[in-house]
Each structure stands twice: as C-alpha cells, then as structure tokens.
Amino acid sequence: MLWGGGGDQKVTVFFFLSGASSVKPLDGVKILDLTRVLAGPFATMNLGDLGAEVIKVERPGAGDDTRAWGPPFAGTESLYFLSVNRNKKSIAINMKDSKGAKLIRELAAVSDVFVENYVPGKLAEIGLGYEDIQKIAPHIVYCSITGYGQTGPMVQRGGYDSIAAAVSGLMHITGHEDGEPVRAGVAMTDLATGLYTYGAIMAGLLQRYKTGKGLHIDCNLLSSQVACLTHVAANYLNCKIEGKRWGTAHGSIVPYQAFKTKDGYIVVGAGNDQQFVTVCKILNLPEVSKDSRYKTNTLRVKNRKELIDILSTRFSEKATSEWLQLFEGSGVPYGPINNMQQVFSDPQVLHNGLVMEMNHPTAGRIAVPGPGVRYSDFAMSHPKPPPLVGQHTVEILKGTLGYEDDAIEELLRTGAVAQHEVR
C-alpha cells in the first residue's frame, strides 16, 4: 500500500504482491466504526475479515446496545454481540465531551473509512457530520446508515429491522398464505443493509483510487429492503399485481415449497418442466406428469391447489430420510428443513468451514458463523475475538494518535475515554 494524491489529500493506493498468500485485500485500510446493533457492525465485521483495521467506537461503560441483548450470554458477554463483532478493536469515547469529539476527528484524519448509524443531523451537532469530517479528511469515505435516508419526510425516525421490514412490505409477503404477517427468523433487512454497506464501502474505496477524493455514502434500511423486493415489486410496478404471503411456496413456480413427510419436512423446487417430470417419476406419479393441466409451469401455477394436494398426499407416505435418498442425484433441487443442531452437523456446512472459533478474554472459547465467501489466494483464518468495551483505548491513543502517557491519563481521569482492563 502507498499513500499518494495531490495537496494534503491521502489516498490509499494498492499494488499486488505475487504469491503473497497472507496478504488480504484490505490490509492497511483503517475503518473508524461508530455503528451499533447489527447492520453497521455486520458490514464492518466483513471488512475486518478482509484485513481492514476496524476501530469500534463505543460509549464508556455500556458500549454497543447489543452487549445487553440476552440471554443467552457466554459468561457476561451477549452472544448477539459476539456474533457480529470479530476482528475489531474497541475504543471507549464519550463523544458528548468536547475532548471525546476531538479524538473522533483526529482518528478520522488518519482513517480511510468513517461509518456511522446515527439519526441524520445528530453527529453534525457535535462537529462530526460529513461536511465537518470532509474538511479535515478530504480523502475519507464517509458512510451513513439510517432507517430511511438522509432526506425526506421520515428522515428523523429511528430505524430497527422489524419496523423497516414492515414499512418496506417484506412482512406483508412473509408468512402462511392465510395467516398473519411474520418477521423473518433473523434480521434480514439489517443484514441486507449490512451487505449493501459492505459493497458500497468497497466501491467508495475504488472510486477514491480513481478520483483521489473521498465521498459520502447513504445506506438505509428502507431502501435496501425495497431494492430486495425484486420480482414481487416488478409484478406490482408493471402489472399492478399485489404481493401476498405464500408460506414456503412461490407465487410463480409450482412445485416450489415444503412438503410434510411422515416425520418432518422436505423442500422441493421444480424450476423447469423436465425437473417436474423427474419429481413425478421419483414420487411414482407418472400419470401426473402426463396430465395436460400440469404440462407447463404456467399451467401448474394456474392449477396449483389440485397439484399440491396430489403431491402432498404422496410425500406424507414416507419419512424425510427416505425421500432424501430418492431425490439424491436426480438433478432436482431439494433439502430437509434443518434445526440448528442439524445445520451445524451437516456435512456440507462442515466442509465449507462455516464456523469460526476463537478465544475470548472473558467468555473463553467461542464459536460464531464465519464469512460465507472463500477466496483462492488468501484465507480468512485466525480471527480476533470480539473486543471488550474500551479494551484497546490506550493502545489506539498511543499507537494510532501518538498520545503520551500523561495526556492519556488526563483523558481517562476526566472520563473522556475509558480503558477496560483485561484480567
């Protein structure tokens, strides 16, 4: 990595080292992370997995809101927090203190990326808005994550996943066909926003490489989820077809859903006519595949109820394991509905290395789901455990900002910062 650019601008320039398998894409990139809860921490954790140095700014004492979200806890640590905060350092700063806000500006000046998820205008009130940071760090990629965006009629509302999932229409299309709206089992709107943020920050760094200038990125829960409505939105926008709940089924593909077996469930998806013929062969229903009512997917959608009744009756006659054996090697997508114990004993999950283990300073040995992507030239191994609140405060003040011991002692004494002593 090299620093370049005109004037006082600092621009990170990357070059390639052949055969350097230990080099990660974001080695040398410093991220100042003021986010809390899920969307922001999920994004910065993924950036940390790629080698970025992530400095997580937290309130002295309480820290990130999710530190209190439990049970369950590992010792005194919230497993919710532990699941999305690996590969980060924590500095505890009281941003309401003028000395604390000054530290944030100093850290921004030596960082590449600034990420925050405050209600629009809140950080500007203490001199930490985009315009404020841009003046001292014109190279900065400043990313804001909010509920609804930086402008507009809902801009001052706080944003949580379930509310954004409701407003965006996701809850309207999630749940049993004749049942109540349902929240997804994990916070998919937050997670989608985190992935959008992760990609947007990478794009911002590439844009800065091209232009030599930083920029502001506006990510928000509402926009992320509406963008993810895909075909359901297109159906409405082009044909005025209102979205509806389908349970495990699909509005435009039949069969494509869960079927109850003798002892559980199996999910089967026939995405084309040949796969449907194969499903009928496996179920020993050759007459169904020849029935003119089910010859094409369009006809199967039209005659959904009659077909699903026939298939459901047959699936109920055998155990899930028997059906899994019959579908193996057929070319038809299928699978059981697994609980967590089954997920993490699944041979493909184990083969894909989707569990990361690490030693936490107070919780001991912990395991969390790792990144869902693998790269040929480097490994995302040896993760650092999620930090304690303010675990790295002194280290960052000394190593990153060059503060002397007496200045640090004064900041600690006045409560502008806090250091967690690991015993």
Side-chain angles (χ1 to χ4, degrees), residues 33-37 39-41 44 56-57 64 115-118 145:
D33 179 11
L34 276 67
T35 66
R36 303 139 295 157
V37 187
T44 55
K56 183 178 180 70
V57 178
D64 189 310
V115 198
E116 56 91 9
N117 65 343
Y118 286 80
I145 305 171

Side-chain angles (χ1 to χ4, degrees), residues 27 35 44 59 101 118 244 250 313 336 342 400:
D27 281 348
T35 66
T44 55
R59 295 172 296 168
Y118 286 80
K244 60 172 287 187
H250 194 292
T313 298
Q342 292 166 326
T400 304

Side-chain angles (χ1 to χ4, degrees), residues 30 127 144 169 193 213 240 275 315 340 347 363 365:
K30 195 183 302 294
S144 298
T193 303
K213 298 185 298 182
K240 294 299 180 280
Q275 288 181 349
F315 274 113
M340 290 302 101
R365 192 72 173 168

